[in-house]
């Protein structure tokens, strides 16, 4: 399939691999797209998995509601469940990066019956993130407060400084250009920013402990997320847990080390 519908919205999807393979759902973050997984996907499908990667709310042209209330974590998670339903999968593996990792944590905590495994790249358990705020994380997360402003962040995402910041943060330049073009589309920047603006409506501290097999992958050169929350994530997983620290890797894990990401996913899902 190349699209699916849910909640009156139409989402673009990349769908690869055998239709009868175990399903792996890949979820991108901000300000990315399903293209962030294009070097990871072939390595997964080569091992017989079916891999689907959607452009999520705000990113698909047919799924850009303007209200922040339409971007709460419960709604974002239900989009993924609808995708799995459209793919005919009762249970599936979910892998998320950045905000996609936030959705993966929501699914793991609230819809464990639908998941085989959950993997988060970069994003720690939301409660670990909240509790680290007063211990230094706030200095890395200042932009989340700025994104609450109306209009100003949208304008900022359309200038050259935004693209320079992405390059400086470690994102490969070919992806910088691609994501910048996406954010220039009508309604895309607002939709992407609404993920942040909806945080007060679905506080991360409300996500509970995770009981299913979970893997968390952290890059030590992450500009946005500190080590304290990464290390504390283990406190919120009571099921089988794997913690991988990538030395010298930036926030942009799937784009920077796609082969390593694919091998980690393959090993993890095969043993769980």
């Amino acid at each position: 399939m190349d699209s699916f519908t849910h909640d009156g919205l139409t989402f673009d999807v990349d769908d690869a691999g055998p239709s009868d393979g175990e399903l792996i759902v890949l979820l991108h973050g901000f300000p990315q797209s399903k293209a962030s997984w294009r070097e990871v996907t072939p390595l997964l499908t080569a091992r017989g998995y079916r891999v689907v990667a959607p452009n999520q709310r705000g990113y698909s042209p047919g799924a850009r509601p303007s209200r922040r209330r339409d971007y709460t974590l419960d709604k974002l998670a239900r989009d993924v469940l609808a995708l799995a339903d459209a793919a005919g999968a009762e249970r599936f593996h979910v892998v998320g990066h950045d905000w996609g990792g936030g959705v993966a944590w929501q699914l793991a905590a609230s819809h464990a019956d639908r998941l085989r495994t959950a993997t988060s790249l970069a994003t720690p358990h939301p409660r670990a993130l909240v509790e680290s705020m007063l211990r230094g994380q706030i200095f890395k997360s200042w932009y989340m407060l700025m994104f609450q402003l109306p209009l100003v962040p949208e304008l900022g995402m359309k200038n050259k400084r935004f693209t320079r910041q992405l390059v400086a943060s470690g994102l490969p330049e070919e992806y910088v250009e691609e994501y910048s073009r996406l954010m220039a589309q009508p309604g895309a920047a607002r939709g992407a920013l609404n993920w942040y603006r909806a945080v007060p409506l679905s506080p991360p501290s409300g996500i509970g402990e995770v009981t299913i097999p979970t893997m968390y992958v952290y890059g030590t050169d992450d500009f946005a997320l500190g080590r304290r929350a990464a290390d504390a994530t283990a406190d919120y997983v009571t099921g089988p847990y794997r913690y991988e620290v990538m030395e010298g890797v930036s926030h942009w894990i799937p784009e920077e080390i796609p082969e390593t990401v694919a091998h980690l996913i393959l090993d993890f899902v095969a043993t769980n």
Side-chain angles (χ1 to χ4, degrees), residues 149-159 189-191 193-194 197:
L149 298 172
L151 299 178
V152 175
E154 283 91 332
L155 294 174
M157 289 173 65
K158 295 180 180 180
N159 63 39
R190 182 174 183 177
L193 290 164
N194 274 345
R197 292 167 178 161

Side-chain angles (χ1 to χ4, degrees), residues 24-43:
I24 300 178
V25 177
L26 304 178
L27 304 175
H28 67 81
F30 171 90
Q32 300 155 292
S33 71
K34 55 187 174 64
S36 63
W37 303 105
R38 66 183 170 212
E39 293 184 64
V40 175
T41 295
L43 301 174

Side-chain angles (χ1 to χ4, degrees), residues 164-188:
R164 289 196 298 269
Q165 289 173 332
L166 291 177
V167 172
S169 69
L171 181 63
E173 289 195 33
E174 64 268 26
Y175 289 98
V176 171
E177 296 175 5
E178 187 164 354
Y179 300 157
S180 296
R181 288 196 299 270
L182 173 62
M183 289 297 100
Q185 294 178 6

Side-chain angles (χ1 to χ4, degrees), residues 224-235:
L225 298 160
R227 184 66 179 264
R228 187 180 294 273
D231 291 345
T233 289
D235 297 338

